[in-house]
Amino acid sequence: MPRWLPRAVLLVLGLVACYQLGSWAFHQLIGLLVNVLIAFFLALAIEPAVSRMAARGMRRGLATFLVFLGVFVTSVGFVVLLGSMLAGQIVDMVEGFPRYLDSVINTINATFHTELSRLEIQDSLLRSDWLQKYVQDSASGVLDVSATLLGGLFRLLTVGLFSFYFAADGPRLRRALCSVLPPAKQSEVLRAWEIAVAKTGGYLYSRGLMALVSGIAHYVLFAVLGVPYAPALAVWVGLVSQFIPTIGTYLAGALPTLIAFTVNPWYALYVLGFVVVYQQFENYVLQPKLTSRSVDIHPAVAFGSVIAGTALLGAVGALIAIPAVATLQAFLGVYVKRYELTEEADSATPVSRRPGRVRLPGLR
């Protein structure tokens, strides 16, 4: 047996053991790593506001706390407003359910010549086996729901704590990162950091501005139609349609359409039509103007990045996909060298799209 064979076997076994240990540790810490990634992008988003307040003489810790306080108050106000709206709608539906049930029973009796009674139907439902089984299953699932809520609250606190430290100690974190790199790499890290801050902040700024415009436009429609809870519905449409990628528009328009249907079925059709028309206006007129300087990426690239982010990290990946791709595109644009087009490449461009050339009618 060669002398190197035992060492080679031990080396291979050691590498396999290290790989297994690293894989196990990664799967155990994947939740923490995702929380840190969310916190990092959140810190990048609030970095411009914190830096602006710190430039005026305020301590970064206090500036970060004030920014987080504003975000927290806004989020709580939105949740309370939306919760009161839903609670009111649920109370109205519960109070009007007996009248609706009587109307349905009367229609069935008149059509099929039956003698159904609401009291008999309610009594049979209360004594049914499936209802009792459903109540038992719901009671046993209360602990699971409570554990899920506590887990979500702990995750939210973890993200908030990490993002607070990332934003408050941003300059110190950059210095610590650059201190372990050679001088030639330090400038590249600082440039990438500045681009990430600009793109992430610009993305949230443009989305917030579009949410404001969308909320105002939909509020005018809801107020004209007399849809209840118009302010809350306008805030819902503005935020959900802008900050939930791909399907946010459909989720945002479903709730006001349903509530408008309870007022008048035609109102639901009006709301649905307005949502579709406004979405086209936003995609082709409003969004290109607002995002041309902040997040200038092709719509196909944005859509593909959202799909890829969803496949990798779920809803979190969908939220951070666009600013991440915009940062990467801007960073690579600094190092990618561009050249003048040759005559052959320029001849492949359609005449109507070449700069400085006009396509005359009747000419092909």
Side-chain angles (χ1 to χ4, degrees):
M1 183 175 61
R3 295 180 179 180
W4 55 267
L5 185 58
R7 297 180 180 179
V9 172
L10 292 177
L11 179 61
V12 171
L13 293 177
L15 292 177
V16 172
C18 291
Y19 172 77
Q20 294 293 336
L21 181 62
S23 177
W24 173 82
F26 177 78
H27 285 87
Q28 294 296 322
L29 298 176
I30 186 64
L32 177 62
L33 295 177
V34 171
N35 292 338
V36 171
L37 182 62
I38 298 173
F40 178 71
F41 272 93
L42 182 59
L44 292 180
I46 65 175
E47 175 71 20
V50 174
S51 299
R52 191 175 297 111
M53 297 172 68
R56 297 180 179 179
M58 185 179 298
R59 297 178 56 184
R60 287 190 64 90
L62 180 59
T64 306
F65 174 76
L66 293 178
V67 173
F68 269 92
L69 182 62
V71 173
F72 177 76
V73 171
T74 304
S75 302
V76 170
F78 172 69
V79 171
V80 171
L81 187 63
L82 184 63
S84 63
M85 178 195 69
L86 294 177
Q89 289 299 118
I90 292 174
V91 170
D92 294 340
M93 291 175 62
V94 171
E95 292 179 351
F97 183 75
R99 295 190 299 270
Y100 176 76
L101 185 59
D102 288 336
S103 176
V104 173
I105 291 175
N106 293 332
T107 303
I108 294 175
N109 290 336
T111 304
F112 299 100
H113 304 286
T114 57
E115 296 181 356
L116 298 178
S117 174
R118 177 166 60 88
L119 297 179
E120 295 178 357
I121 294 176
Q122 291 177 351
D123 186 65
S124 62
L125 289 176
L126 292 176
R127 295 181 180 180
S128 60
D129 295 335
W130 69 268
L131 182 61
Q132 296 177 1
K133 184 178 179 181
Y134 175 77
V135 172
Q136 293 175 359
D137 295 340
S138 300
S140 62
V142 170
L143 295 177
D144 297 336
V145 174
S146 301
T148 303
L149 291 177
L150 290 177
L153 180 61
F154 179 76
R155 184 176 183 180
L156 183 62
L157 292 176
T158 303
V159 171
L161 184 63
F162 274 108
S163 59
F164 178 84
Y165 283 121
F166 285 156
D169 294 338
R172 186 184 305 176
L173 181 62
R174 288 192 292 269
R175 288 195 298 268
L177 182 61
C178 292
S179 63
V180 298
L181 297 175
K185 299 294 183 180
Q186 293 179 7
S187 59
E188 296 181 3
V189 171
L190 293 177
R191 183 184 296 113
W193 193 291
E194 293 175 357
I195 291 174
V197 170
K199 292 300 180 180
T200 306
Y203 172 73
L204 291 182
Y205 169 76
S206 61
R207 287 293 173 179
L209 191 57
M210 286 191 294
L212 178 62
V213 176
S214 176
I216 293 176
H218 287 86
Y219 171 74
V220 172
L221 174 68
F222 299 152
V224 171
L225 295 179
V227 178
Y229 306 103
L233 288 177
V235 174
W236 164 267
V237 173
L239 293 180
V240 173
S241 62
Q242 300 303 324
F243 291 99
I244 297 182
T246 309
I247 62 173
T249 303
Y250 308 103
L251 293 177
L255 182 61
T257 302
L258 181 61
I259 295 179
F261 184 81
T262 60
V263 179
N264 191 329
W266 286 105
Y267 289 176
L269 186 61
Y270 296 156
V271 171
L272 182 61
F274 183 83
V275 168
V276 173
V277 172
Y278 180 82
Q279 184 65 28
Q280 304 307 314
F281 166 76
E282 181 182 280
N283 291 337
Y284 294 102
V285 179
L286 187 61
Q287 184 173 352
K289 292 183 178 181
L290 294 180
T291 61
S292 59
R293 296 183 179 181
S294 58
V295 188
D296 188 14
I297 59 177
H298 195 273
V301 177
F303 183 70
S305 64
V306 170
I307 295 178
T310 305
L312 292 175
L313 298 176
V316 176
L319 288 174
I320 66 177
I322 295 180
V325 171
T327 301
L328 181 62
Q329 176 180 324
F331 184 71
L332 293 178
V334 178
Y335 299 97
V336 175
K337 186 176 180 180
R338 298 182 181 272
Y339 302 92
E340 294 291 336
L341 292 177
T342 61
E343 292 293 334
E344 292 80 3
D346 186 62
S347 62
T349 305
V351 176
S352 60
R353 295 185 180 181
R354 296 180 194 173
R357 300 185 181 181
V358 181
R359 184 175 181 177
L360 298 178
L363 296 180
R364 297 183 180 273

